[in-house]
Amino acid sequence: GLALLPKLNAFFLWIPLGVIWLLHLKDELDMFPSGRGKRIVNSFTKNFLPLIIIPPLVFIALWPWLWVDPIGRIGEYMTFHLRHFDVPIFYLGQVYRKGPWHYPFVMLALTTPPLVLAASVWGGVRLWKSEFRRANLHVLFNIFFPLAIVGFSPAPKYDGVRLFLPALPYLAILAGYGLSEAISSLRKPVLMRVGAFAVAIAIVLAAHQALWRPAPHHFAYFNSLVGGTEGAHHAGFDIEYWGSSYKQLLPWLNKNSETRYWVALGMINAGLLKAEKTLSPKVHFGGPKNSTRMILMNRPGMYNAQMRLAEQSGKPLYSVFLGTTPLVTVYELPR
């Protein structure tokens, strides 16, 4: 119920949880074959019926917007997602109106720290061979199910990993198991302690690469398999998604407020900039026809012909960078 509030994707949690319940019910019926009908009803009432009733109640109770007209507004909310507009993406050097099936798998591979990827692969091998089959199936299913939902359905594919975030906690479980198994394979206590210390250092270094170095622009993180953010930029990926780099533009805009700016990827971003208390009231925004400068985020998948022309022929004045990769750039528009 809490997961449904921020993201409708949590709706799909009913499927793995339902599978778990059915497997549990099968075990129970195998152990106690008598009175099957009663046992099925009791198990459904105790274990699955609350899962059907409680989440929607939590969803409605904690979203005041729904209280005015619960049925109508839930319908409006569902209709928006079922008829979601296409979000074009720049992926492997090509603009897609609908991302290809392999988009979630490639993005997961290129935005997860390599240590976590390697440990999860080893963890998957070891987990598959271990005796805890039911738990193994649960972990592996919950990694691949969110990826498959995005990859092999008509669901939109865009904005990196955010549409299949439920897979990541299980990937972390798998990586933790892989590291544990790698340490245990050393057998001798002294070697295991040395191995554990080495793994701890490696985790800190991996976290530094993935969290500390790109801060505060974590949306733009790509791992070393693609050459980091710079490599992803040259390989043809969208780098910025939500304008997290816009805030770093404010000091420069305050010093250069003598003109009008066109925020090329939507006036919603201009609205967000205006809402910043540190933005000077002298800074004004407009459209492409009445502005002399353009603010363009590094998201080529959403560029139209006018933006591409302005990017190619305009003069770059200032950029917010992650390393050597521009996240957002101000251009002098050609006259």
Side-chain angles (χ1 to χ4, degrees):
L2 294 173
L4 281 169
L5 285 163
K7 198 66 181 166
L8 186 63
N9 300 53
F11 176 85
F12 295 109
L13 288 174
W14 267 298
I15 296 175
L17 291 173
V19 170
I20 292 169
W21 169 66
L22 289 172
L23 293 173
H24 175 76
L25 178 61
K26 179 181 180 298
D27 286 347
E28 186 178 336
L29 295 178
D30 288 344
M31 292 174 63
F32 307 101
S34 61
R36 294 173 67 90
K38 186 177 180 180
R39 289 188 183 280
I40 292 172
V41 171
N42 288 341
S43 178
F44 176 82
T45 303
K46 179 182 177 181
N47 297 314
F48 199 72
L49 188 59
L51 188 63
I52 298 174
I53 296 173
I54 295 174
L57 292 179
V58 172
F59 180 70
I60 294 171
L62 297 181
W63 192 359
W65 180 75
L66 298 176
W67 299 351
V68 178
D69 179 15
I71 295 176
R73 290 196 169 181
I74 287 175
E76 181 182 339
Y77 177 64
M78 297 295 290
T79 300
F80 168 80
H81 285 282
L82 291 172
R83 298 177 181 175
H84 197 288
F85 53 89
D86 291 335
V87 179
I89 61 169
F90 192 49
Y91 175 66
L92 297 175
Q94 183 176 343
V95 176
Y96 290 86
R97 298 301 303 180
K98 286 182 176 290
W101 67 267
H102 44 80
Y103 178 81
F105 299 94
V106 171
M107 291 304 296
L108 182 68
L110 298 185
T111 60
T112 302
L115 174 66
V116 177
L117 280 178
S120 61
V121 170
W122 179 243
V125 172
R126 298 296 298 166
L127 201 67
W128 190 253
K129 293 181 178 180
S130 71
E131 59 182 321
F132 304 108
R133 291 288 181 178
R134 186 63 53 76
N136 304 351
L137 181 64
H138 173 65
V139 172
L140 295 173
F141 179 83
N142 279 283
I143 291 172
F144 288 104
F145 179 69
L147 297 171
I149 285 291
V150 175
F152 301 112
S153 76
K157 304 164 185 59
Y158 61 95
D159 283 4
V161 303
R162 76 180 183 91
L163 296 183
F164 48 90
L165 285 175
L168 301 189
Y170 290 93
L171 190 73
I173 291 172
L174 205 58
Y177 184 74
L179 292 173
S180 176
E181 284 291 292
I183 294 169
S184 299
S185 66
L186 299 174
R187 300 187 181 280
K188 291 184 178 181
V190 174
L191 291 178
M192 288 175 66
R193 283 195 288 270
V194 172
F197 180 75
V199 164
I201 295 297
I203 290 172
V204 171
L205 292 175
H208 176 266
Q209 292 292 321
L211 297 174
W212 185 263
R213 289 190 64 185
H217 310 296
H218 296 103
F219 280 116
Y221 168 76
F222 284 83
N223 65 30
S224 58
L225 297 180
V226 72
T229 303
E230 182 179 4
H233 176 59
H234 292 301
F237 286 85
D238 283 326
I239 301 300
E240 250 281 39
Y241 298 108
W242 287 100
S244 62
S245 56
Y246 279 38
K247 194 168 186 177
Q248 278 65 48
L249 276 180
L250 299 181
W252 189 89
L253 291 176
N254 289 340
K255 293 178 182 178
N256 297 270
S257 58
E258 71 282 355
T259 186
R260 189 178 296 273
Y261 293 88
W262 168 37
V263 183
L265 288 181
M267 288 307 294
I268 183 173
N269 293 318
L272 292 173
L273 284 170
K274 289 177 183 177
E276 284 290 338
K277 295 180 180 179
T278 53
L279 181 67
S280 169
K282 296 180 181 179
V283 179
H284 298 287
F285 300 101
K289 294 182 179 180
N290 64 347
S291 300
T292 57
R293 292 175 179 174
M294 173 181 70
I295 298 174
L296 188 65
M297 188 167 60
N298 191 347
R299 188 172 183 170
M302 297 193 75
Y303 294 175
N304 59 27
Q306 190 176 24
M307 295 175 200
R308 292 191 187 94
L309 178 62
E311 181 192 29
Q312 292 167 4
S313 56
K315 177 184 177 183
L317 300 175
Y318 182 78
S319 295
V320 174
F321 288 94
L322 176 57
T324 60
T325 305
L327 303 178
V328 61
T329 299
V330 181
Y331 292 90
E332 189 79 40
L333 290 172
R335 299 182 185 279

